[in-house]
Amino acid sequence: MFALIDCNNFYASCERVFRPELRNKPVVVLSNNDGCVIARSNEAKALGIPMGAPAFEYQKIFMDHQVEVFSANFELYGDMSNRVMSILADYTPEIEIYSIDEAFLKFDGFQYFNLKDYGIQIHQKVLKWTGIPISIGIAPSKALSKIANRIAKKFPEQTQCVHIIDNEEKRIKALKWTSIEDVWGIGHQYAKKLNKLGIKNAYDFTLMQDDDVLKLMTILGLRLKKDLQGIPSFDLEYPEPKKSIATTRTFEQLYTNYEDLRERVITFAVLCAEKLRKQKSCCQAMTVFVRTNKFREDLPQYRKSIDIQLPFATQSGIELGSFASQALKLIYQPGYGYKKAGVIVHNLCPENHIQQNLFENANLKHIHLMKAVDVINAKHGQQKIRLASQDLNRVWKMKQQKRSNRYTTRLSEIIEIHA
């Protein structure tokens, strides 16, 4: 059996842990630079605030209904997520962390357990130890556990936040209740095509002929159909090294000066190099892009990217910064106000399996130098040591005017109790 554990309205729930007076009140969390809504409490959803709503357009609703608005506090959310996942790992050795607020558990050898009671026990422990409410769906396959989870979340009082699909009657009833667009793995475009064929819910989908599913959705669609029929076709997946690494930023202002833009691009390349070293990889190719502000119709628009093949595989911030600078020079155009830029490194390979070139290779001295830089930065704070081509007085900071304290990761921001 598989279980899907989902933290309810996770970002909003994290804020409520340290602000219990906000329970039963509308709460929203905004994206990077306080741009748009990325999380809503149930009360905020009831006010008609949609996901992705631009914050500036909904200011009146926020004020009229006393909606508590928070800037994204990813450091806090990440730490709370780790706490939840560490608790879940105590209940089974087989766990797939699916996202920051979701995890699949696999219960092999649990045939003598009452999984309903086991799920309630998990729910109570996570709530007691972290303050985060969760919903649990248990079923013979991952796709069915997703549906079971939706039922647990939709009907918390009837299910005690835990729903289990453990017989054919429950499976068919759950599939008929689930609209086709709500099925895990079926996006908006597939849902439109299936609706045209008369497929309205998950049960209709399981009645389709295999050949028809293959033609429409390839082998993944057929595997999904089997999964919904209770035949496990998707096993747990475990983290693999990333195939590409990106660092991109939207600037707080328009950059018209080449040197300012160059400094940012070099910094992004250095950050990519840090991420490469963290997963013990090197890159052999790089993409650099720049963009103007598409929302400023009164200004000239320009966007350009360039892919470059590196002469050798590297994870050195010095070398990647140099390559990024060269790439930027090829695509930069004066006379524009740049709002966003980024560096993406790809064609990755393990650091201990690098193909050497005959004429040009990475500087071996950089290996020990970069390790020393990583150790010092880890001990004293990110970017304490930088390249001379970086702005030594600048640390990237998002617009976070409504960010709560990072209660669990910063001693200076720990919660205070006044007795």
Side-chain angles (χ1 to χ4, degrees), residues 118-321:
Y118 202 57
I120 293 172
Q121 182 184 335
I122 294 172
H123 173 269
Q124 292 174 344
K125 187 171 183 179
V126 170
L127 185 61
K128 182 177 181 180
W129 284 26
T130 69
I132 301 294
I134 63 173
S135 299
I136 303 176
I138 304 173
S141 67
K142 290 174 78 173
L144 283 176
S145 71
K146 271 274 192 179
I147 291 177
N149 184 277
R150 290 180 66 87
I151 295 172
K153 186 176 290 188
K154 183 73 174 178
F155 308 103
E157 294 181 1
Q158 298 92 319
T159 63
Q160 296 180 277
C161 299
V162 179
H163 184 65
I164 181 168
I165 298 175
D166 54 2
N167 60 49
E168 190 66 3
E169 181 182 353
K170 286 184 179 180
R171 183 186 73 86
I172 293 174
K173 185 178 180 180
L175 293 180
K176 289 182 177 179
W177 176 81
T178 306
S179 299
I180 191 64
E181 55 267 21
D182 293 331
V183 175
W184 178 52
I186 293 182
H188 178 67
Q189 292 301 321
Y190 278 135
K192 284 174 59 178
K193 293 177 181 178
L194 289 166
N195 277 322
K196 289 180 180 179
L197 297 174
I199 309 300
K200 302 299 182 182
N201 56 45
Y203 183 66
D204 294 339
F205 180 70
T206 61
L207 298 180
M208 289 180 67
Q209 295 295 320
D210 288 355
D211 289 344
D212 294 337
V213 176
L214 273 171
K215 288 177 184 177
L216 184 67
M217 300 178 62
T218 71
I219 190 65
L220 288 176
L222 185 57
R223 290 173 64 191
L224 176 59
K225 176 193 169 186
K226 300 293 183 186
D227 226 50
L228 292 171
Q229 290 175 326
I231 305 168
S233 301
F234 297 101
D235 206 346
L236 297 187
E237 297 179 2
Y238 299 99
E240 294 182 356
K242 295 180 180 178
K243 296 181 180 179
S244 65
I245 291 174
T247 302
T248 68
R249 295 287 189 273
T250 299
F251 306 133
E252 73 282 3
Q253 62 186 36
L254 296 179
Y255 281 17
T256 56
N257 184 281
Y258 171 74
E259 289 302 324
D260 289 339
L261 190 61
R262 176 176 175 271
E263 188 277 333
R264 289 290 81 195
V265 167
I266 290 175
T267 296
F268 300 161
V270 170
L271 291 173
C272 285
E274 289 181 10
K275 296 173 186 177
L276 282 169
R277 295 194 295 273
K278 198 169 285 187
Q279 75 164 34
K280 301 186 183 302
S281 296
C282 293
C283 72
Q284 302 171 89
M286 172 187 288
T287 299
V288 176
F289 73 85
V290 292
R291 295 176 188 168
T292 54
N293 188 347
K294 64 180 180 181
F295 299 106
R296 289 291 303 272
E297 297 179 358
D298 57 317
L299 296 176
Q301 298 293 315
Y302 176 75
R303 57 188 297 164
K304 188 73 172 178
S305 66
I306 185 171
D307 299 321
I308 59 171
Q309 193 69 30
L310 307 187
F312 47 79
T314 181
Q315 57 179 205
S316 164
I318 298 172
E319 291 168 339
L320 289 179

Side-chain angles (χ1 to χ4, degrees), residues 76-96:
L76 173 65
Y77 307 153
D79 185 67
M80 294 299 289
S81 173
N82 289 336
R83 292 168 186 246
V84 172
M85 299 307 169
S86 65
I87 295 171
L88 299 180
D90 289 338
Y91 286 90
T92 175
E94 298 186 81
I95 177 172
E96 174 194 338

